Amino acid sequence: MLKIGIIASGRGTNAQCLINAIEEGRLSATIELIISDRPEAGVLERAKKHGLEHVLVRENEYVTRAEFDGEMMNLLKGRGVELVVLAGFMRVLGPAFIEAFPERIINIHPALLPSFPGLNVHKKAIKHGVKFSGCTVHFVDSGLDTGPIIIQAVVPLLDDDTEDTLAARILREEHRILPEAVSLIASGSITVTGRQVRLKNNASIEGNQAMENPPVSLTVSENDR
Ligand code: GAR
């Protein structure tokens, strides 16, 4: 069974989805360790409640960034972690950490990458006036939210959306695609070639499905084709 380590900075609803999926037998994996860099992070309480190993690793207790990364790396390696899941981790990992887990670190990001990497993504999406946003699970490389994309979900922006309403609509999709991505990796169902992540059984959505926002009302004539 795939041994997972989770790193999270916040309330931990994405981590909770993984915990639930494993506890309910929907996801074949084990959570070996949950790390947080923030003492007040809700994810630590969740870990405690579910009897999972958890540890606080605070960056300001290390002289260099590399030492902070190194401590997390050693903790995860020490527990035999095979897949590191960044579930709301608000920092960028250094090169030594990434090299220690090649193609074995994934991140959930609340936008349709490569649009809106980094922080404050809902604010940026609303300000930009995009009609769709969404969420992405991707492998982590040395860039900021740049690694190969595993799965994305699309949600429409509504005219009266605030950052909070958009975040909530996207979070519901995050909770669907993160366990799915972990499950695909756990079952060895994906191949990665360069930036292309593909399902081995070639599963994909129907190629002729499209969404428009706002809806397109004009009908298409035969002459348009
Ligand atoms: C999620 O929306 C996740 O996509 C985002 O932080 C939130 C964590 O929520 N991650 C990032 O912005 C990473 N740059 P959670 O603590 O409830 O899982």
Side-chain angles (χ1 to χ4, degrees):
M1 244 193 290
L2 186 74
K3 293 180 175 174
I4 301 174
I6 297 175
I7 313 182
S9 303
R11 69 204 148 167
T13 64
N14 277 291
Q16 185 72 54
C17 282
L18 296 176
I19 295 169
N20 294 348
I22 290 169
E23 284 187 352
E24 292 162 17
R26 292 178 279 122
L27 176 60
S28 191
T30 58
I31 297 173
E32 299 297 323
L33 181 63
I34 297 184
I35 298 178
S36 184
D37 57 327
R38 297 199 184 148
E40 72 283 4
V43 73
L44 292 171
E45 273 307 308
R46 291 177 193 269
K48 201 193 281 176
K49 187 169 159 216
H50 289 266
L52 295 166
E53 286 276 329
H54 54 283
V55 59
L56 172 66
V57 183
R58 304 177 80 151
E59 189 180 354
N60 60 12
E61 288 176 7
Y62 299 85
V63 178
T64 65
R65 192 51 225 271
E67 284 173 40
F68 167 68
D69 279 6
E71 174 66 9
M72 292 195 292
M73 207 165 89
N74 291 339
L75 287 166
L76 293 162
K77 287 279 182 197
R79 283 172 177 76
V81 165
E82 298 161 298
L83 178 72
V84 179
V85 180
L86 308 184
F89 181 53
M90 294 304 177
R91 297 172 193 273
V92 177
L93 293 167
F97 190 110
I98 289 163
E99 279 158 29
F101 294 95
E103 270 172 22
R104 287 279 146 178
I105 311 169
I106 64 172
N107 179 47
I108 176 91
H109 182 75
L112 282 182
L113 293 172
S115 291
F116 311 124
L119 299 175
N120 302 315
V121 296
H122 306 306
K123 189 175 182 177
K124 288 181 200 161
I126 291 170
K127 188 163 179 225
H128 197 88
V130 291
K131 299 300 183 193
F132 290 102
S133 187
C135 46
T136 304
V137 180
H138 63 94
F139 285 108
V140 173
D141 64 11
S142 55
L144 177 62
D145 300 325
T146 51
I149 292 170
I150 303 167
I151 183 167
Q152 294 185 303
V154 180
V155 307
L157 266 81
L158 308 180
D159 287 347
D160 56 357
D161 260 334
T162 62
E163 283 178 56
D164 286 347
T165 59
L166 179 59
R169 193 173 317 115
I170 290 175
L171 191 66
R172 279 199 295 276
E173 297 305 316
E174 294 183 37
H175 295 165
R176 295 178 60 229
I177 68 171
L178 183 60
E180 180 75 16
V182 173
S183 174
L184 290 172
I185 293 168
S187 59
S189 304
I190 59 174
T191 57
V192 187
T193 314
R195 289 203 55 83
Q196 311 304 321
V197 181
R198 295 208 170 89
L199 294 195
K200 286 184 179 162
N201 65 3
N202 291 322
S204 187
I205 61 168
E206 287 292 319
N208 58 5
Q209 286 173 356
M211 289 192 294
E212 309 86 22
N213 179 27
V216 172
S217 58
L218 282 183
T219 51
V220 176
S221 107
E222 276 310 307
N223 295 333
D224 295 341
R225 298 183 199 279

